């Protein structure tokens, strides 16, 4: 089916649509950064895991990063290569399978290392071990996303590391960004080197984690390349790895929803949609943030605005707070018309849930010729089989 990506008029049910042309633009830019800076950039599944699209990714990158057994299996079995794996807590009943699926295994603490480093290599002698370290510096302002906040459960501070690392530890993993710019990375790198450079001669690689939003329009890509090139010049023996998630899928496609009713109370009109913020756009309530709505202007954030063509956007769940702001359109909304939420591929597609048993949006790939390919449609059985 041919689709008009400006209106998605041909779509009449909820659907996440990944636009291949936009995805390839991001992948081309990421591949350019990797080549120019002489680093490896890999995909973080925590932000994007649509495995049916992995053949596209394989044209540009060679590896992925996992934070759990199932993500490690996804990379090993579906992407076709062992994963770079980190978890804040490995378990006795999963470590062997995780080791089998991984090329790099990062430990969150020295106690986790002591517990599992011998056992993991019994299953996979090629594993390269790393330690996650905490630079105790981050410019992430939203506390829930700040991995270096006081009391963090992530990583080892410099004053807790031994002068000589265990002889099978080959790398450091550092993650302290969230949709950050290259200026933030440059400032953070100063703190990282001040605290950890004395251990660099003992290492073979360093992973600077995710949150490098290099595909955002205002991101200073040349600056990122220069910063990485200078770091590589200072420490030429260190292989440098970045593992962004959002950068791969940034602005690659919308969630298309439909109006099913319009109700009014105390002069506030609500357009009820066939999607849910808590189920299908959970970050909108968790962070929180307001998504962009195509051809609409945000009238207010508290949902109290009134006007001829102003509507609170309400979901179809029974959660009272499942709505998102007031939006002004240039016409009166009609039952059946599309409401298009922009940029809904990264994180959203991996965080959805089936609360209330609400029908889950389908997932589709819009090819460069505007032909729509359905990747996944969800059924009652998907909901039922999650229960027992």
């Amino acid at each position: 089916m041919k689709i008009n990506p400006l209106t998605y008029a041909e779509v009449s049910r909820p659907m996440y649509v990944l636009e291949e042309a936009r995805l390839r633009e991001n992948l081309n830019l990421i591949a350019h950064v990797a080549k120019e800076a002489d680093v490896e950039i890999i995909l973080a599944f925590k932000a994007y895991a649509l495995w049916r699209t992995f053949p596209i990714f394989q044209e540009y990158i060679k590896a992925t990063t996992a934070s759990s057994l199932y993500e490690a299996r996804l990379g090993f079995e579906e992407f076709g290569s062992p994963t770079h794996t980190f978890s804040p807590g490995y378990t006795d009943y999963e470590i062997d399978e995780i080791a089998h699926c991984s090329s790099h295994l990062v430990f969150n603490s020295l106690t986790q290392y002591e517990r599992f480093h011998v056992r993991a290599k019994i299953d996979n002698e090629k594993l390269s071990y790393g330690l996650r370290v905490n630079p105790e510096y981050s410019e992430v302002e939203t506390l829930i996303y700040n991995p270096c906040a006081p009391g963090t459960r992530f990583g080892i501070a410099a004053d807790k590391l031994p002068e000589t690392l265990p002889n099978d530890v080959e790398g450091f993993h550092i993650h302290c960004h969230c949709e950050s710019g290259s200026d933030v990375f440059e400032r953070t790198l100063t703190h990282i080197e001040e605290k950890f450079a004395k251990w660099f001669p003992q290492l073979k690689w360093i992973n600077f984690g995710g949150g490098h939003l290099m595909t955002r329009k205002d991101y200073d890509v040349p600056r990122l390349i220069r910063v990485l090139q200078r770091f590589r010049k200072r420490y030429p023996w260190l292989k440098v790895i970045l593992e962004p998630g959002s950068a791969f899928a940034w602005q690659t496609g919308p969630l298309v929803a439909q109006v099913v009713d319009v109700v009014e109370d105390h002069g506030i009109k609500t357009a009820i949609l066939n999607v849910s913020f808590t189920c299908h756009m959970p970050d909108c309530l968790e962070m929180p943030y307001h998504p962009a709505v195509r051809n609409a202007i945000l009238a207010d954030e508290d949902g109290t605005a009134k006007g001829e063509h102003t509507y609170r956007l309400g979901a179809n769940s029974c959660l009272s707070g499942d709505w998102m702001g007031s939006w002004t359109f240039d016409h009166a909304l009609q039952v059946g018309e599309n409401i298009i939420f922009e940029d809904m591929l990264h994180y959203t597609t991996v965080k959805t849930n089936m609360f209330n048993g609400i029908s889950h949006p389908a997932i589709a790939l819009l090819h460069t010729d505007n032909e729509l390919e359905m990747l996944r449609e969800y059924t009652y059985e998907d909901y039922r089989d999650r229960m027992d």
Side-chain angles (χ1 to χ4, degrees):
M1 177 171 61
K2 291 286 186 179
I3 294 293
N4 180 348
L6 296 179
T7 64
Y8 287 98
E10 300 82 2
V11 174
S12 59
R13 56 188 171 128
M15 189 178 298
Y16 299 100
V17 183
L18 173 66
E19 299 182 8
E20 182 182 353
R22 293 187 181 187
L23 176 63
R24 288 188 180 276
E25 286 180 10
N26 287 352
L27 288 165
N28 273 309
L29 186 147
I30 289 168
H32 167 74
V33 172
K35 180 180 179 181
E36 292 299 311
D38 190 24
V39 302
E40 183 174 20
I41 304 179
I42 61 181
L43 169 66
F45 287 150
K46 67 179 181 179
Y48 181 96
L50 300 183
W51 59 272
R52 292 275 299 276
T53 66
F54 286 174
I56 298 174
F57 281 78
Q58 289 164 340
E59 297 177 30
Y60 302 87
I61 64 172
K62 298 185 182 303
T64 60
T65 181
S67 301
S68 64
L69 170 58
Y70 292 166
E71 286 188 346
R73 285 191 59 181
L74 190 73
F76 187 69
E77 297 175 14
E78 304 299 338
F79 195 87
S81 64
T83 59
H84 296 235
T85 306
F86 162 80
S87 172
Y90 298 113
T91 61
D92 284 307
Y93 52 86
E94 291 184 338
I95 186 62
D96 300 320
E97 195 170 0
I98 286 175
H100 175 73
C101 295
S102 304
S103 60
H104 296 65
L105 196 67
V106 175
F107 296 99
N108 189 53
S109 67
L110 289 168
T111 52
Q112 280 263 298
Y113 164 81
E114 290 294 341
R115 183 176 177 184
F116 291 119
H117 79 105
V118 173
R119 178 175 168 180
K121 282 203 173 180
I122 292 174
D123 191 273
N124 182 359
E125 63 181 13
K126 295 181 180 180
L127 274 175
S128 178
Y129 286 151
L131 297 175
R132 177 158 177 170
V133 295
N134 175 14
E136 300 178 85
Y137 177 87
S138 175
E139 297 186 22
V140 178
E141 296 179 356
T142 304
L143 193 60
I144 194 174
Y145 294 119
N146 185 347
C148 299
T152 181
R153 69 187 193 281
F154 294 123
I156 307 165
D159 62 359
K160 293 182 173 62
L161 282 173
E163 289 295 317
T164 301
L165 298 173
N167 59 17
D168 57 354
V169 169
E170 298 182 329
F172 277 171
H173 179 279
I174 304 167
H175 176 64
C176 49
H177 297 91
C178 179
E179 298 185 356
S180 304
S182 53
D183 58 327
V184 177
F185 177 54
E186 186 169 18
R187 290 192 293 271
T188 304
L189 194 57
T190 300
H191 291 265
I192 291 171
E193 291 186 71
E194 286 176 355
K195 287 185 175 290
F196 297 108
K198 68 177 183 178
W199 284 283
F200 288 177
Q202 301 179 48
L203 303 177
K204 294 181 179 179
W205 54 265
I206 188 165
N207 184 328
F208 288 121
H212 309 275
L213 195 49
M214 61 191 77
T215 52
R216 188 177 59 202
K217 286 184 178 179
D218 62 348
Y219 191 97
D220 190 343
V221 173
R223 183 175 187 172
L224 173 65
I225 293 172
R226 290 195 302 271
V227 170
L228 289 169
Q229 287 173 334
R230 290 167 185 165
F231 183 87
R232 292 279 292 115
K233 188 174 183 179
R234 291 194 295 275
Y235 312 101
W237 67 89
L238 284 180
K239 178 178 181 179
V240 175
I241 304 162
L242 304 180
E243 51 178 38
S246 295
F248 283 93
W250 187 257
Q251 295 290 348
T252 55
L255 170 59
V256 182
Q258 289 77 40
V259 178
V260 298
D261 198 7
V262 176
V263 298
E264 184 174 343
D265 182 67
H266 286 76
I268 297 173
K269 295 192 296 290
T270 298
I272 298 179
L273 311 177
N274 53 4
V275 295
S276 160
F277 295 96
T278 191
C279 295
H280 309 137
M281 296 168 273
D283 271 353
C284 293
L285 301 181
E286 181 180 290
M287 259 192 92
Y289 83 100
H290 285 86
V293 178
R294 190 172 300 182
N295 300 322
I297 299 171
L298 180 65
D300 68 29
E301 297 186 357
D302 61 11
T304 60
K306 302 174 184 179
E308 184 180 8
H309 298 147
T310 298
Y311 304 83
R312 178 186 289 182
L313 295 182
N316 59 345
S317 81
C318 67
L319 176 67
S320 297
D322 197 356
W323 53 268
M324 188 55 57
S326 296
W327 301 80
T328 300
F329 295 80
D330 63 2
H331 64 282
L333 295 183
Q334 302 297 316
V335 170
E337 76 170 274
N338 284 345
I339 302 295
I340 300 174
F341 294 96
E342 306 285 11
D343 195 23
M344 280 293 159
L345 270 295
H346 59 93
Y347 278 102
T348 298
T349 52
V350 297
K351 280 187 159 186
T352 60
N353 61 76
M354 290 188 165
F355 166 69
N356 240 177
I358 294 170
S359 297
H360 195 287
I363 301 177
L365 174 63
L366 185 66
H367 290 286
T368 54
D369 61 358
N370 289 338
E371 189 72 27
L372 191 72
E373 177 189 354
M374 200 64 62
L375 300 181
R376 177 68 190 273
E377 297 178 85
Y378 295 85
T379 65
Y380 160 71
E381 285 74 23
D382 292 302
Y383 169 71
R384 181 198 64 191
D385 293 346
R386 287 167 59 90
M387 299 301 106
D388 63 20

